[in-house]
Amino acid sequence: MSHPFPFRKVYGAATLIAVLTLFGLLSALLGDGVWDALSWITLTIPLAVIGWKCSRPSKTPSSRV
Amino acid sequence: MPPAAFIVCSLKRYRMVTIHNPISPKAVRAWYRVHKWSSLICAIFLLMACITGLPLVFHDEINAILQPHVAPASMPSEAPMANVDQMVSEAQARFPSLHPYDVYWDDDEPRVFVYMSPSDEPKNSDLRTMVFDAHTGKFLESPKLGGTVLTLIFRLHTELFLGLTGEVVMAVMALSFVLSLVSGTLVYGPFMRRLRFGTYRREAAPRTRWFDLHNLLGIVTLTWALVVGATGAMNTISTPLFAMWRSQTMPQILAPYQGKPMPRHFLSVDAAVKEVSVALPWAEQSAVLFPNAVLGSPRHYLVWNKGKTPITSRLLTPVLVDVETGRLTVSKGLPWYLRTLEVSRPLHFGDYGGMPLKIIWALFDLALIVVLLSGVYLWLSRHKAPVEKELDRLVRLEKLEAEQTPAAGVLAR
C-alpha cells in the first residue's frame, strides 16, 4: 500500500481509448456526413490497437513501476 | 483561457496524477469475485446475444437479399403525396375480415405501409401488410411478415422465444454483463500494474496468452461493450416502460369521453395528418396508429412525429387526433426516460453510420466473443493457477523477464 498507484501507466491508454470510442459512438449519432467519417476513424483506432498489439513480437514488460 | 492552453494545462495536470492504490488487496479479491460470478451468470446468454447479434447488424442487407422489394417510381422528393385513405380502403377491400391497424411511412424510400390486423394487440404474424408508392398511390406488394430467419434470430436475441419472461431474463443478463464490465475494469488495474499496456506474450504458456488477450481486448472494447450492454438492457425493458407511460397518461385524456357513445363518423387519415403537420411545423409524420383500445386510444388516431435533424429524427412525439371532431391533443412529449431510450436505441444496433459503422460493430462484436471465451477458459483452467495468486505470480514473472531483457531484445530483432 506504500507504493503510489501508477494510474496513468495502468489506465492512461485505456482512458484515451475510452474517450475516442465515446466520441466515435456519439458523433455519428448526433451528426451526419463528416461526423460519420470521424466516427469511423475514431472507432477504428481501438480495433487497430488490438491488431497492432497482437501482431507485433512480444516485448518483455517494462520493469519500471 | 484559450482552448489550446486549456488542453496543454490539463495534460500537464494529468501527467502528475498519482493515486495511492485506491482499493485494498481485500477489496480487489472481492471485486474479482464479483467479476467472476457476474460474468459466469451471463456468459451463455452473452455468447448467444453476440452470435445472433452479428447477422442482426446487417439485417437491412440480408433482408434485401432474402426479400427483394418492389421499388417505388422514381420521383422528385417534393412531388405531391398520394391519398392515404385510398390506400387504406384498398387494403380493407383486400382483407375484409381485418381492420386497419397502422400506417407507416418508410424512412428510406417513398413507400407507405398499411398494416391490417384482426385485433388491437396483434402478434407480428397476425398482421397483413400492403405497401404503396407514396407519390403515385400505386399498390406495390403485400410482403409476408414474421416468417424470415432473421425474425427468429431477433426473437431469440431479445426474448429467447419466451415473450415478456424472456425479455426480463435478457434485461437481467445485460445488467449482469454491465456489472462484469465494471468489476473487470476495477480488477484490471491491480493485474496490469506491473505490465505494459497491451502486453501480449505470444510465446508464453496458453494460460498467460489467454490472460493477456482477455485483458487487452477487454479494456480496448470496454466503452463499446458498456454502451451496447446498457442500451441492450434499456431496449429489452422498453415495452413495459411504454406500457407504463400509456397507463399513466391515457386515463386523463380519455376521462372527458366517459359515457359518450363510440364514434360513428371517422375523420380521414389524410385530414388528421395534415392537421398535425400544421400544428407541428418542425416535424414530419412517421406513423399513424388507428383507434386502438390497448396500444393507443379507442377514440383517436395516434400520430407519431419525428424531427428533421439527425438527433431530433430519433425523438418521436405522439399527437392524438379525435377521430370525430379532429381536435388535437398534443402531449408534452415523452418523459425523459422514454426520450433517453429513443435516442440511445441506435447505439445498440450500430445502424446509424452507414456500412463502415456496421462493419466496425461486427468487429467489436467478434472481439467481445474472444473476451468472453478467453474469460471462460481462464475460469476452467483455474486449477493450474488460482487467480487469487495471480498477482504474486505476475510479480515473479515480471522480475524473471526483466532479467532476460537483453536476450529477448536480440530475439525480437
Side-chain angles (χ1 to χ4, degrees), chain A:
Chain A
M1 290 305 294
S2 53
H3 302 289
F5 184 76
F7 182 86
R8 196 165 62 92
K9 176 181 172 260
V10 175
Y11 284 110
T15 310
L16 190 64
I17 287 172
V19 171
L20 283 174
T21 308
L22 208 56
F23 175 84
L25 289 174
L26 293 178
S27 75
L29 186 66
L30 304 181
D32 276 334
V34 68
W35 294 103
D36 279 344
L38 280 174
S39 159
W40 303 334
I41 295 165
T42 46
L43 288 177
T44 305
I45 291 170
L47 295 168
V49 167
I50 294 176
W52 169 54
K53 291 287 181 184
C54 287
S55 65
R56 67 180 191 159
S58 63
K59 274 187 194 163
T60 49
S62 149
S63 58
R64 280 185 303 120
V65 174

Side-chain angles (χ1 to χ4, degrees), chain B residues 239-286:
Chain B
T239 318
L241 273 185
F242 265 98
M244 195 177 85
W245 172 70
R246 207 163 41 231
S247 67
Q248 281 171 353
T249 49
M250 242 358 136
Q252 295 171 10
I253 294 169
L254 292 180
Y257 294 92
Q258 204 117 58
K260 288 190 182 171
M262 287 306 278
R264 294 257 179 85
H265 156 82
F266 277 66
L267 186 75
S268 85
V269 178
D270 259 336
V273 167
K274 195 157 286 165
E275 219 184 319
V276 175
S277 71
V278 171
L280 272 61
W282 51 269
E284 55 188 58
Q285 289 63 51
S286 64

Side-chain angles (χ1 to χ4, degrees), chain A residues 1-15 17-18 21-22 24-26 28-32 36 39-40 43-44 46-47 49-50 53-63 65, chain B residues 14-15 19-22 25 185-186 188-189 193-198 200-203 213 216-217 219-220 223-224 227 310-311 314 343 346-347 352-353 356-357 360-361 363-364 398 401-402 405 408:
Chain A
M1 290 305 294
S2 53
H3 302 289
F5 184 76
F7 182 86
R8 196 165 62 92
K9 176 181 172 260
V10 175
Y11 284 110
T15 310
I17 287 172
T21 308
L22 208 56
L25 289 174
L26 293 178
L29 186 66
L30 304 181
D32 276 334
D36 279 344
S39 159
W40 303 334
L43 288 177
T44 305
L47 295 168
V49 167
I50 294 176
K53 291 287 181 184
C54 287
S55 65
R56 67 180 191 159
S58 63
K59 274 187 194 163
T60 49
S62 149
S63 58
V65 174
Chain B
Y14 183 52
R15 288 167 70 94
I19 297 170
H20 286 269
N21 201 345
T185 310
L186 286 173
Y188 172 87
R193 188 179 163 143
R194 288 176 175 80
L195 293 169
R196 287 167 70 105
F197 170 79
Y200 178 60
R201 292 159 287 187
R202 68 157 86 179
E203 289 90 5
L213 210 56
L216 167 62
L217 268 62
I219 200 71
V220 165
T223 309
W224 178 86
V227 166
I311 181 75
R314 310 273 179 202
V343 178
L347 286 172
Y352 58 99
L357 194 66
I360 287 167
W361 230 252
L363 291 173
F364 269 105
E398 183 233 303
E401 283 176 347
T405 306

Side-chain angles (χ1 to χ4, degrees), chain B residues 12-262:
Chain B
K12 273 184 182 160
R13 293 181 68 171
Y14 183 52
R15 288 167 70 94
M16 292 190 291
V17 170
T18 49
I19 297 170
H20 286 269
N21 201 345
I23 31 183
S24 69
K26 212 172 161 187
V28 170
R29 283 194 177 198
W31 277 114
Y32 167 69
R33 239 169 276 138
V34 173
H35 181 58
K36 179 170 77 177
W37 286 110
S38 57
S39 307
L40 286 175
I41 286 168
C42 71
I44 190 75
F45 296 91
L46 182 62
L47 183 61
M48 180 280 288
C50 283
I51 293 171
T52 52
L54 214 45
L56 289 177
V57 171
F58 300 100
H59 70 100
D60 281 335
E61 290 72 17
I62 295 172
N63 268 339
I65 296 167
L66 293 180
Q67 287 188 312
H69 68 262
V70 181
S74 70
M75 292 256 224
S77 58
E78 65 277 9
M81 293 291 178
N83 186 304
V84 173
D85 295 274
Q86 207 107 52
M87 302 175 194
V88 174
S89 55
E90 213 172 304
Q92 185 68 80
R94 170 86 176 264
F95 302 106
S97 62
L98 308 178
H99 62 80
Y101 170 72
D102 189 49
V103 170
Y104 167 78
W105 284 267
D106 188 14
D107 287 336
D108 306 320
E109 288 177 83
R111 295 192 297 165
V112 178
F113 287 67
V114 178
Y115 292 95
M116 304 294 289
S117 165
S119 70
D120 277 358
E121 201 180 9
K123 282 187 239 136
N124 260 352
S125 52
D126 295 338
L127 288 173
R128 294 291 172 271
T129 325
M130 284 182 81
V131 187
F132 296 89
D133 189 312
H135 294 302
T136 66
K138 216 181 97 201
F139 167 70
L140 296 173
E141 62 182 324
S142 183
K144 283 205 172 61
L145 282 169
T148 64
V149 190
L150 276 186
T151 323
L152 294 177
I153 292 175
F154 178 77
R155 287 190 55 205
L156 180 60
H157 185 88
T158 54
E159 40 122 322
L160 310 161
F161 301 114
L162 294 174
L164 187 63
T165 317
E167 282 182 2
V168 173
V169 170
M170 287 309 285
V172 171
M173 290 306 143
L175 290 177
S176 180
F177 173 51
V178 169
L179 183 62
S180 95
L181 290 170
V182 172
S183 54
T185 310
L186 286 173
V187 296
Y188 172 87
F191 276 117
M192 293 300 289
R193 188 179 163 143
R194 288 176 175 80
L195 293 169
R196 287 167 70 105
F197 170 79
T199 299
Y200 178 60
R201 292 159 287 187
R202 68 157 86 179
E203 289 90 5
R207 201 180 141 78
T208 310
R209 229 165 42 217
W210 283 107
F211 174 79
D212 286 347
L213 210 56
H214 186 75
N215 282 335
L216 167 62
L217 268 62
I219 200 71
V220 165
T221 59
L222 173 71
T223 309
W224 178 86
L226 264 178
V227 166
V228 172
T231 50
M234 284 166 71
N235 281 342
T236 39
I237 57 166
S238 70
T239 318
L241 273 185
F242 265 98
M244 195 177 85
W245 172 70
R246 207 163 41 231
S247 67
Q248 281 171 353
T249 49
M250 242 358 136
Q252 295 171 10
I253 294 169
L254 292 180
Y257 294 92
Q258 204 117 58
K260 288 190 182 171
M262 287 306 278

